[in-house]
């Protein structure tokens, strides 16, 4: 039976089709989900894709967090549903309190778009098992509000519990504290990161590498072996 992975589209989403394609390349079935619908169509996992939901009005992800679909996503994520938030999706996950901390504007106050080197810090989440801890990868990055912030206690907890999933290497592109590029919840089923793995699944596009594909093969293997 083919694993079904939902991709939520909000007003202002940009990368929903790219994410669906990445899921298809990995061998799973992408399922389009609309932000106004609470029904997740019995998917096995959910991706909140990148973009500028609601034009980042008020604050990135602040309005999307209250879309009807998020009521179901929040409930099911807390019950164990795997959820991946990419860029704007990461911002939405922090606004929904499925992940701690928050996102502020880049410290240089400019939009940034570049290939970014990352280090995999946690290869035990639902979305990272096809990586190895310490592995260095290159993933495209594009954001305006990508600076991860949290209070010192939260940062200490994330570090102590191994919940920093990815860390920027060589260059911190947005001023994120502790060079954090992505984090996970304690259970490991919810992961958020600012770079875009869906743009690095085929050698002809993005970085010219396939370093983002393991996100989608990891969750596929987890679902198949569950």
């Amino acid at each position: 039976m083919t694993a079904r992975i939902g991709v939520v589209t909000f007003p202002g989403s940009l990368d929903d089709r790219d994410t669906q394609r990445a899921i298809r390349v990995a061998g799973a079935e992408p399922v389009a989900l609309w932000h106004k619908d609470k029904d997740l169509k019995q998917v096995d996992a959910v991706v909140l894709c990148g973009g500028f939901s609601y034009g980042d009005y008020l604050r990135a992800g602040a309005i999307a967090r209250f879309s009807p679909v998020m009521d179901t996503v929040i409930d099911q994520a807390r019950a164990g549903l795997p959820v991946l938030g990419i860029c704007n999706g990461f911002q939405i996950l922090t606004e929904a309190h499925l992940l701690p901390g928050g996102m502020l504007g880049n410290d240089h106050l400019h939009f940034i778009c570049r290939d970014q080197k990352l280090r995999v810090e946690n290869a035990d989440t639902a979305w990272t098992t096809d990586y190895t801890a310490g592995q260095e990868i290159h993933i495209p990055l594009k954001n305006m509000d990508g600076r991860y912030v949290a209070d010192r206690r939260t940062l200490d907890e994330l570090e102590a519990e191994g919940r920093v999933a990815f860390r920027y290497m060589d260059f911190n592109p947005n001023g994120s504290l502790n060079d954090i590029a992505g984090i996970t919840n304690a259970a490991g089923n919810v992961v958020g990161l600012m770079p875009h793995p869906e743009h690095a699944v085929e050698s002809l596009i993005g970085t010219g590498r396939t370093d983002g594909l393991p996100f989608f093969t990891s969750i596929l293997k987890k679902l198949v072996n569950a």
Side-chain angles (χ1 to χ4, degrees), residues 6-10 13 16 31 33-35 46-49 69 73:
V7 179
V8 179
T9 298
F10 299 92
S13 293
D16 42 354
V31 178
L33 301 175
W34 184 236
H35 73 111
V46 167
V47 180
L48 305 180
C49 65
V69 71
V73 170

Side-chain angles (χ1 to χ4, degrees), residues 9 14 30 46 67 83 94 107-108 129 132 136 142 156 158 191-192 206:
T9 298
L14 299 178
V46 167
S67 290
V83 177
T94 61
D107 60 352
H108 45 74
T129 55
T132 57
E136 297 178 3
K142 51 177 185 174
D156 290 345
L158 290 173
V191 171

